[in-house]
Amino acid sequence: MKSIYSKLIFGFFITIVASFSVAGFVSLRLNDQQIESTVEEDLITTNDYVSKVISNINIENRDDIIDLYAKSSEMAITCYSNSEGYVAYGNKKYNPTPEQMMAMFKSTNNELSFKHHNEVLAYGTKNMINGQEYYIYVQKDTSGQKSAIANSAILILGCVFLTGSIVFLVIADIIVKPLTRLTNAIKELSNGNYNVRVDNVGQDEISKLNQGFNQMARQLAKQDETRQKFISDISHEFQTPLTSIQGFANILKEEDLPKEQRVKYANIILYNSKRLSSLAKNMLQLTLLDREEIELELTNYSLVEQMNRVISTQENQAMEKNIEIVFEMPKKEIFIEGDEQRLEQVWTNIISNAIKYTNEGGLITITMKKNSKDIEVSIEDTGIGMSKEVVSHIFERFYREDKARNVEGNGLGLAIVKSIVDLHHGKIDILSQVDVGTNFIVRLPIEKQKLIERLKR
């Protein structure tokens, strides 16, 4: 049984057979006992009735009355006495022989109740009637009643089984069909069709399963699109410096090149090799940041000191473009719990980007403050700014605005920034206006810092 449909049918069949067998056995046993109890009461009543008829000497046609009663009640009545001998009434099939009646007459002193062949119930008593001893033996066949009950039970169980089977097949079909569609959809998905979807009407478990599948398919489609774009972007990013390196390496093979040109071409090769190295390094870092099991090396340190250190490393780059970096230091020292090395890369990447996209003579302003729930760091420049469309894609890998293509970079810096801030459960907001400037606002939660401060007290 490979399919769930066959398993459901087999399970239903086993359940029905087992439950009907137990229910049928118990009900038939109870009915048999009830029938036998009722028949025993009838036998005692009949025995008393026959005794009264015999004792009434004024009744004419006594034998006809008893015989009619025996036939109407479907009983066999047998009487024996020394004066009247052996007399049988009703169904002669069950009447004992004269010899048997004589033996029971002689041996019986008390009431006797017993069965013959498990279906015929018998009741015999010795009574003193009009000064004579009479042995009255009454029998009744219960097989007809038991058969009628059994046949009715079988008919009922058959109807229940047939109706239940039809209902179960309909229900099984309702259950199995969505699973079959889901199975086919999974096959399509495994073959690379990420646009496949299944119906998810309702709120039952199967509908929720279909919803989960559709959500997974959408995520896979998005991941596949991202993967394709990533491959295209990375191919482009690698191809440009590689082409440059190959071209100028071939030129350097010429022996009659002047020294100045050799140095120039060698510097170009060195520059492009550094680009490739930086690209590979950033890609490796993004891969590490994407791993769910990555653990931050959390320490409690001065954010002001860290920012001063980052600014000092970027000053030369800013001075080349005559850009001023202003750090509005807070009145009080601000300590933060975080991965110091990775957060330093966040400030470095944002400030470096601000310098790249700010024209000569521009200004970069850095502020920080501590709020009740978070620490806010603002890095604002007077650069070329960005449109809303660009802002919505700015953290995507390899994304670069067309007018910024001539600026050195590979479009991975801000993706790294976003990943690091997310790992710290922080948030980045961007306020930007074209040809006016951009403001990156980083907010990092301080719940853990408050706990550390309490422990230090």
Side-chain angles (χ1 to χ4, degrees), residues 144-177:
Q145 290 174 279
K146 292 181 179 180
S147 296
I149 295 293
N151 291 336
S152 298
I154 292 171
L155 180 62
I156 292 172
L157 293 177
C159 292
V160 171
F161 180 78
L162 181 61
T163 305
S165 298
I166 295 173
V167 172
F168 177 80
L169 289 174
V170 173
I171 294 175
D173 192 58
I174 293 174
I175 295 173
V176 172
K177 272 190 175 179

Side-chain angles (χ1 to χ4, degrees), residues 111-166:
E111 295 181 354
L112 179 65
S113 178
F114 55 89
K115 300 177 184 179
H116 288 291
H117 309 296
N118 296 327
E119 301 295 342
V120 179
L121 292 180
Y123 179 78
T125 60
K126 184 183 285 187
N127 303 321
M128 185 64 69
I129 303 174
N130 299 329
Q132 295 288 331
E133 284 187 334
Y134 282 84
Y135 183 74
I136 302 173
Y137 191 71
V138 185
Q139 298 165 285
K140 185 169 184 177
D141 185 5
T142 61
S143 60
Q145 290 174 279
K146 292 181 179 180
S147 296
I149 295 293
N151 291 336
S152 298
I154 292 171
L155 180 62
I156 292 172
L157 293 177
C159 292
V160 171
F161 180 78
L162 181 61
T163 305
S165 298
I166 295 173

Side-chain angles (χ1 to χ4, degrees), residues 1 3-19 161 168 172:
M1 293 181 292
S3 68
I4 190 172
Y5 194 83
S6 60
K7 291 178 180 178
L8 286 172
I9 297 296
F10 180 75
F12 171 78
F13 179 76
I14 294 297
T15 303
I16 289 295
V17 170
S19 58
F161 180 78
F168 177 80

Side-chain angles (χ1 to χ4, degrees), residues 34 43 60 132-133 208 277 329 360 371 398 456:
Q34 188 174 2
L43 293 176
E60 297 181 359
Q132 295 288 331
E133 284 187 334
K208 291 179 180 178
S277 177
M329 295 181 61
E360 291 191 11
N371 302 316
F398 296 108
K456 286 182 177 179

